[in-house]
Amino acid sequence: MSQKHPSFFQSVERNFDRAAAHTGLPKGLLEQIKVCNAVYQMRFPVKIGGEVQVIEAYRVQHSHHRLPTKGGIRYAMSVNQDEVMALAALMTYKCAIVDVPFGGAKGGIKINPRQFSEYELEKVTRRYTTELIRKNFIGPGIDVPAPDYGTGAREMAWILDTYQTFKHGEIDAAGCVTGKPVSQNGIRGRTEATGRGVFYALREVMSFEDDMKKLGLTKGIAGKTMVVQGLGNVGYYAAKISTTEGDVKLIGVAEYEGSIHKPDGIDVDALMKHRKETGSILNFPGATNLPKREDALELECDILVPAALENQITPENAPRIKAKIIAEAANGPVMADAEETLLKKGIMIIPDMYINAGGVTVSYFEWLKNLSHMRFGRMEKRFNSNTYENLVSTVERLTGKVIGPKERSILTRGADEIDLVNSGLEETMIEAYRQIRDVYVSNPDIKDMRTAAFVSALNKISSDYMALGIFP
Ligand code: NAD
């Protein structure tokens, strides 16, 4: 990236400053909230293919106002200290927005995971975890990593196993990391949580008729067109759930190898299958290949979902963006100096720190499950089901009518873990948006949703600091 643009962390700071001006909070308190509390930069050797490679890695704890700190671990060549600091800061604001009682953190290892074998990735992950343990940068009450770009449940399982090896007998050890496989102390619904959260958020945002009218849209998500950049964990589930549960039409996709356009709708699973078979999303039956990989971003659509990496919408391509809503599923996809252009065009940007908070929300549920040592729903599922059964039988007896077996099984079902997780996630995304929108509607000086989200976060974090007694 050329030097004339602000760095990712500077972009976050710039957005912070813009919002801070609306809060009236003391300067010292704002400064304390803004800075990164602890930055751990490490280099360690790992033998890869017979050669020793020195690996560069980071863990940043942005805010200790609540503990543990929480945030994903990224494996990518783009990883550097500035990026990890920016992502850690976003985690602090994100947790506050969705009322998850953690401080923000983030980790990163500067590698291209595609160039490593599974065995080598395991070695790197275990060594990184060891470094974190050595410096007391991981633990269920200290700092709890999770998946991010380039990592998933497999890496989280390695982290847990390494932690348990060192902390034998620590009863809450499973809570040292989230996003684990369900079979290894994970929780149902975590894999798809961020994408599912994007869907719940969009559905809520689009339920306000007046707001949609200003964008030239009708109320409701059904029938709207969507373009997604990055069909990884977040992008795939955002597309899949929006199309299947929200009746959205996916008309464009951008991936690493290129972009495609199909105005009559793309079946995302068919596209994934095509990519698996051919190694590319290009030449998908019925779709047009676009010349450049970023081209899908510029397609005419109702909702653009950048779900790959930061700095994708730049001052250069911003004037050509035609979407009505940009849903920042990735962290930092819109550069701070591109934002003004988009807002002037009347585009609504739903900020990352809100719309991709589904992941950390369900991570919070997983952490609670680990600390309670019990699956959600275990205590009440059967009790509720028996109560509903009695109710249905009573209605049948009183009316003299019989309810069919299919309806009966729907009416008498007790909630499983996945039902409770999805319901908790849905409630969280709806409630958080209402809080942000309230700030937006009640402050005529606030012109955009990112500033409103920041103000909502800052008000909550400042109350926490006041409660700690540090600031009067
Ligand atoms: P992922 O590694 O699962 O997927 C990323 C996808 O983007 C990959 O398919 C990759 O090929 C694609 N990609 C990379 N560069 C691209 C480009 N230039 N154009 C088009 N596609 C490109 O990662 P993820 O976990 O889905 O994370 C994506 C974004 O969402 C990141 O910004 C991450 O910080 C953010 N996020 C992730 C989570 C989570 O729970 N995983 C939670 C919150 C936010």
Side-chain angles (χ1 to χ4, degrees):
M1 196 203 342
S2 99
Q3 255 332 90
K4 63 184 163 44
H5 296 302
S7 73
F8 189 8
F9 188 59
Q10 284 167 339
S11 270
V12 174
E13 288 198 309
R14 199 190 271 192
N15 291 331
F16 177 102
D17 291 340
R18 200 172 64 201
H22 297 278
T23 61
L25 292 168
K27 201 163 154 269
L29 174 54
L30 288 168
E31 187 59 24
Q32 173 56 40
I33 296 173
K34 190 164 131 180
V35 295
C36 283
N37 290 179
V39 179
Y40 178 22
Q41 183 193 123
M42 63 200 101
R43 310 273 162 124
F44 50 79
V46 180
K47 215 173 202 177
I48 306 286
E51 296 262 327
V52 171
Q53 268 194 38
V54 179
I55 308 282
E56 178 182 336
Y58 301 86
R59 184 72 186 171
V60 172
Q61 295 168 352
H62 173 259
S63 180
H64 292 151
H65 74 292
R66 286 198 169 201
L67 289 172
T69 51
K70 185 100 192 67
I73 297 180
R74 173 175 289 195
Y75 290 1
M77 285 309 289
S78 65
V79 165
N80 58 48
Q81 185 171 322
D82 181 272
E83 183 188 69
V84 186
M85 284 168 66
L87 292 165
L90 286 175
M91 284 305 299
T92 294
Y93 311 125
K94 197 178 296 185
C95 290
I97 285 168
V98 289
D99 291 320
V100 162
F102 298 140
K106 204 83 180 190
I109 304 185
K110 189 176 174 166
I111 54 167
N112 179 352
R114 291 165 213 244
Q115 289 171 355
F116 284 61
S117 67
E118 189 173 13
Y119 173 67
E120 290 162 352
L121 282 174
E122 180 173 350
K123 278 215 299 194
V124 170
T125 306
R126 287 188 184 276
R127 179 61 195 255
Y128 175 73
T129 311
T130 310
E131 296 296 326
L132 295 180
I133 295 167
R134 282 222 284 232
K135 288 283 189 294
N136 212 19
F137 258 65
I138 185 170
I142 299 168
D143 187 355
V144 182
D148 189 70
Y149 186 92
T151 61
R154 178 185 65 175
E155 285 74 14
M156 303 308 115
W158 291 331
I159 291 174
L160 173 61
D161 188 57
T162 310
Y163 185 84
Q164 281 176 322
T165 307
F166 283 86
K167 306 273 178 174
H168 179 68
E170 196 181 281
I171 192 160
D172 290 330
C176 77
V177 63
T178 59
K180 304 177 289 290
V182 175
S183 59
Q184 287 168 64
N185 293 288
I187 194 166
R188 287 161 191 82
R190 173 60 184 89
T191 308
E192 62 271 34
T194 310
R196 177 167 285 283
V198 169
F199 165 64
Y200 288 147
L202 276 170
R203 198 188 57 189
E204 183 61 17
V205 168
M206 299 183 85
S207 71
F208 290 90
E209 193 162 8
D210 290 352
D211 300 356
M212 290 305 104
K213 219 187 237 168
K214 284 186 202 145
L215 301 174
L217 289 173
T218 53
K219 174 184 158 173
I221 193 167
K224 301 297 188 299
T225 55
M226 178 181 272
V227 170
V228 174
Q229 182 198 36
L231 274 188
N233 173 281
V234 178
Y236 166 73
Y237 284 110
K240 167 92 183 156
I241 297 169
S242 298
T243 48
T244 53
E245 295 180 31
D247 205 13
V248 163
K249 200 199 272 186
L250 180 69
I251 60 154
V253 170
E255 245 301 335
Y256 211 73
E257 60 276 8
S259 275
I260 58 164
H261 184 206
K262 190 168 181 288
D264 62 349
I266 297 165
D267 175 335
V268 69
D269 283 331
L271 179 61
M272 294 298 273
K273 189 163 169 272
H274 170 82
R275 191 179 191 216
K276 209 169 168 196
E277 283 164 5
T278 67
S280 169
I281 61 164
L282 297 174
N283 304 318
F284 181 61
T288 313
N289 295 335
L290 301 177
K292 288 199 292 343
R293 132 171 126 186
E294 300 78 26
D295 282 349
L297 295 173
E298 298 170 22
L299 288 171
E300 189 132 13
C301 63
D302 298 323
I303 309 158
L304 172 62
V305 183
L309 281 173
E310 59 269 17
N311 298 334
Q312 298 302 303
I313 302 176
T314 65
E316 202 266 317
N317 65 6
R320 300 192 297 274
I321 301 289
K322 296 176 205 74
K324 303 216 166 58
I325 296 174
I326 297 176
E328 291 188 325
N331 285 305
V334 173
M335 274 185 177
D337 52 1
E339 182 138 347
E340 198 57 37
T341 308
L342 301 170
L343 294 175
K344 273 200 190 125
K345 287 171 70 144
I347 297 172
M348 181 187 214
I349 302 172
I350 314 174
D352 44 11
M353 63 180 88
Y354 161 63
I355 202 158
N356 70 32
V360 75
T361 302
V362 175
S363 274
Y364 169 47
F365 301 156
E366 180 177 332
W367 180 77
L368 290 173
K369 174 185 181 181
N370 295 149
L371 298 195
S372 72
H373 300 264
M374 192 162 59
R375 155 175 68 81
F376 287 104
R378 178 171 169 180
M379 296 293 275
E380 65 273 41
K381 177 181 162 152
R382 197 60 51 190
F383 176 81
N384 287 340
S385 163
N386 290 340
T387 308
Y388 304 147
E389 188 69 46
N390 286 338
L391 261 171
V392 168
S393 300
T394 308
V395 170
E396 281 180 334
R397 195 167 22 87
L398 293 176
T399 59
K401 292 186 175 145
V402 176
I403 292 168
K406 203 170 160 209
E407 274 174 311
R408 189 179 196 97
S409 84
I410 293 170
L411 288 171
T412 60
R413 210 166 73 83
D416 276 321
E417 181 170 83
I418 186 69
D419 305 313
L420 296 167
V421 164
N422 287 345
S423 153
L425 175 61
E426 184 176 9
E427 164 62 15
T428 302
M429 297 310 291
I430 291 174
E431 180 55 29
Y433 185 68
R434 292 191 182 170
Q435 289 176 9
I436 294 169
R437 192 174 176 278
D438 277 353
V439 172
Y440 177 73
V441 171
S442 57
N443 290 278
D445 293 345
I446 295 179
K447 307 284 185 216
D448 62 286
M449 285 298 167
R450 190 188 313 282
T451 305
F454 252 116
V455 169
S456 174
L458 290 179
N459 286 335
K460 293 182 194 178
I461 298 166
S462 61
S463 310
D464 286 343
Y465 270 110
M466 309 262 186
L468 289 174
I470 301 169
F471 292 91

